[in-house]
Amino acid sequence: MKILIIGAGGREHALAATYAKSNRVKKIFVAPGNDFMEETSSKIQVFPQISLLDFDSMLSLVKKYDIDLVDVAQDNVLAEGFVDKLSKYGIPAFGPKKAAAEIEWNKDWARSFMKKYDLPIPRYKSFSNKTRALSHVKQLPEQTLFIKASGLALGKGVIKAENRKEAYAAIVAMKQFHTAGKTFLIEEGMTGEEFSLFAICDGKRYVIAGCAQDHKTVYNGDLGPNTGGMGCVAPTTLLNQQLFSQIKRTILNPFIHGMLLEDRPFTGIIYLGGMLSKKGPQVVEFNARWGEPEANVILPGLQTDYIDIVEAVMMQELMTKAVRFDNKVRISVAGCAIGYPTEYSKIKGKKIVGLTVASRLPGISVFGAGIKRKGKDYVVNGGRIFHLVAEGDNIAKARERAYTAMSHISVEGNNLHYRTDIGWRELARKAKK
Ligand code: GLY
């Protein structure tokens, strides 16, 4: 089979590496992809010259290379309805249709859906008018609030406000997200630990496919601004079997049935951004795809052939397929340009040293994100440059391996930043036992 993955980052690299393991898959094209992906397997070919949302070019690729299946992996591509468009041409496409993906690209609709089907969520109100939003905050008791852009904002559309004054500023700041921030939500803060749980869905049924903990802020100790994700651990011991059952009963079952009732059957990967609060598991948000960096720590542990799973989903026969994972622990550390997520334009084009060496160490994989080839070198082409993943029998071993491997990598002019405390919650839990 020949697969086309639409997307560019570490998630798509992890997906390409997963498809490459299948004897049934002969070739994987990734558009746009990034140059570092081709290091993983001779089956992988990238097209960085194609723009992500250029549907006509994607269609030309499908025809030229006689592609059997398109995996639409990235949020904004799903929001543009690429799965619907490909289906109209009779091209098999894996991922939710636009109406189902709305659970991610329209947080206002998503919250009203969750309310209607009684999923556990915090109290919230949505606004398209700044003045009304300001007076709403004025009449609320002083408390932590989250101001969220309703549309897609590269994972940065949420502002935490510790008090009224910060909430006023956050409401005003929604304009930085342009159309995505035109409608925004004001949600009461929840306290607890966050988790990212994934389920593969065929519209009517689902299978849980891993749970990880992301580290969203740029600096150690969970400090600094939010990013697309600075590192990740899977599996996480935050959730036990009883909590998994509770999540199925109170969140995933009503989600899958509610989407069916709304005539938006969800086919693909649902990503529950959850919070384990004092009230039990709550929904922070849903995403309609694998997470980055979560995919990097979950997919390498998959023992079932991914193409078999994808086909079972597309035939609505998911339950006939066992989805098996190994029992290793994996930790992912994001290597970023100094200045990310704010200002890092001066770092673009700088040489990255040691990537290939690190990626060939035992138990290590490196997934490229903001990377491109320049002559014989790889250079920086984005804020999150790569995700280094280490596996081990336990968190301590995986972590030691990850940071030893990281020490081989640098960016010209000492311009590489990464957190050195990824996995701290998992380690702290272990120490308590
Ligand atoms: N882990 C954050 C995201 O994929 O949106």
Side-chain angles (χ1 to χ4, degrees), residues 214 216 228 271 287 289 291-294:
D214 193 1
K216 291 214 169 95
Y271 164 172
N287 297 317
R289 50 168 174 89
E292 175 167 344
E294 290 91 336

Side-chain angles (χ1 to χ4, degrees), residues 365-406:
S365 311
V366 178
F367 298 118
I371 294 185
K372 70 176 182 187
R373 206 183 278 119
K374 191 174 169 196
K376 284 189 190 145
D377 297 323
Y378 287 111
V379 299
V380 175
N381 193 36
R384 275 192 305 179
I385 307 167
F386 63 88
H387 302 271
L388 181 143
V389 177
E391 62 183 41
D393 295 333
N394 57 49
I395 176 75
K397 283 189 188 152
R399 193 185 209 224
E400 192 193 331
R401 225 178 210 169
Y403 285 114
T404 305
M406 277 307 269

Side-chain angles (χ1 to χ4, degrees), residues 215-281:
H215 298 59
K216 291 214 169 95
T217 65
V218 70
Y219 302 124
N220 282 3
D222 294 338
L223 299 173
N226 267 352
T227 68
M230 292 297 290
C232 213
V233 178
T236 170
T237 55
L238 176 68
L239 304 179
N240 57 25
Q241 279 315 315
Q242 187 244 322
L243 286 165
F244 272 112
S245 303
Q246 191 175 344
I247 289 169
K248 283 184 181 173
R249 196 179 65 251
T250 62
I251 300 176
L252 294 176
N253 295 350
F255 165 76
I256 204 92
H257 294 131
M259 291 298 274
L260 257 182
L261 289 173
E262 296 295 314
D263 205 17
R264 302 171 187 241
F266 192 93
T267 305
I269 309 299
I270 191 69
Y271 164 172
L272 163 65
M275 164 87 70
L276 183 56
S277 75
K278 281 197 192 109
K279 292 186 193 161

Side-chain angles (χ1 to χ4, degrees), residues 59-359:
L59 196 59
S60 303
L61 274 187
V62 172
K63 288 181 182 157
K64 180 169 176 194
Y65 293 101
D66 201 14
I67 303 260
D68 299 291
L69 173 93
V70 183
D71 187 326
V72 185
Q74 201 157 315
D75 50 2
N76 43 352
V77 190
L78 292 164
E80 286 294 317
F82 272 37
V83 173
D84 313 52
K85 291 184 195 177
L86 288 161
S87 305
K88 274 196 190 134
Y89 285 91
I91 299 160
F94 181 64
K97 289 193 166 168
K98 182 170 178 161
E102 191 163 2
I103 200 73
E104 172 164 11
W105 59 261
N106 180 352
K107 295 201 173 7
D108 185 20
W109 178 80
R111 276 298 192 220
S112 62
F113 165 85
M114 293 179 228
K115 201 168 168 187
K116 181 170 173 188
Y117 291 95
D118 205 21
L119 275 71
I121 57 171
R123 275 204 293 249
Y124 80 98
K125 246 176 156 1
S126 76
F127 295 90
S128 303
N129 177 298
K130 197 174 77 182
T131 318
R132 285 206 195 109
L134 293 171
S135 38
H136 172 67
V137 170
K138 209 168 172 186
Q139 53 84 35
L140 285 177
E142 192 76 81
Q143 63 184 306
T144 302
L145 293 169
F146 287 88
I147 322 297
K148 295 184 171 178
S150 179
L152 296 177
L154 299 168
K156 293 165 201 151
V158 180
I159 303 179
K160 184 177 181 182
E162 300 284 9
N163 51 46
R164 262 192 214 111
K165 201 171 154 208
E166 286 182 16
Y168 296 151
I171 289 166
V172 173
M174 282 293 117
K175 65 173 178 292
Q176 71 184 289
F177 303 119
H178 310 285
T179 333
K182 263 189 138 166
T183 300
F184 55 90
L185 312 181
I186 300 181
E187 299 193 349
E188 297 190 8
M190 300 181 275
T191 40
E193 261 187 63
E194 287 195 50
F195 58 88
S196 307
L197 187 143
F198 297 85
I200 304 170
C201 313
D202 71 1
K204 291 187 178 145
R205 283 150 301 197
Y206 64 87
V207 174
I208 290 186
C211 189
Q213 258 192 319
D214 193 1
H215 298 59
K216 291 214 169 95
T217 65
V218 70
Y219 302 124
N220 282 3
D222 294 338
L223 299 173
N226 267 352
T227 68
M230 292 297 290
C232 213
V233 178
T236 170
T237 55
L238 176 68
L239 304 179
N240 57 25
Q241 279 315 315
Q242 187 244 322
L243 286 165
F244 272 112
S245 303
Q246 191 175 344
I247 289 169
K248 283 184 181 173
R249 196 179 65 251
T250 62
I251 300 176
L252 294 176
N253 295 350
F255 165 76
I256 204 92
H257 294 131
M259 291 298 274
L260 257 182
L261 289 173
E262 296 295 314
D263 205 17
R264 302 171 187 241
F266 192 93
T267 305
I269 309 299
I270 191 69
Y271 164 172
L272 163 65
M275 164 87 70
L276 183 56
S277 75
K278 281 197 192 109
K279 292 186 193 161
Q282 309 266 311
V283 186
V284 177
E285 64 180 9
F286 282 112
N287 297 317
R289 50 168 174 89
W290 285 107
E292 175 167 344
E294 290 91 336
N296 310 331
V297 286
I298 292 177
L299 287 171
L302 185 65
Q303 293 192 311
T304 315
D305 191 325
Y306 193 58
I307 191 68
D308 288 349
I309 299 174
V310 168
E311 281 184 341
V313 165
M314 296 181 67
M315 310 279 285
Q316 295 206 329
E317 288 174 354
L318 182 59
M319 297 325 270
T320 62
K321 213 58 254 149
V323 178
R324 280 189 306 274
F325 287 90
D326 66 13
N327 48 18
K328 290 196 175 137
V329 174
R330 288 184 176 80
I331 178 166
S332 171
V333 182
C336 302
I338 291 265
Y340 172 78
T342 319
E343 168 51 41
Y344 51 88
S345 53
K346 289 203 182 95
I347 319 300
K348 279 198 175 179
K350 297 216 182 279
K351 188 171 153 184
I352 312 161
V353 179
L355 271 185
T356 311
V357 172
S359 70

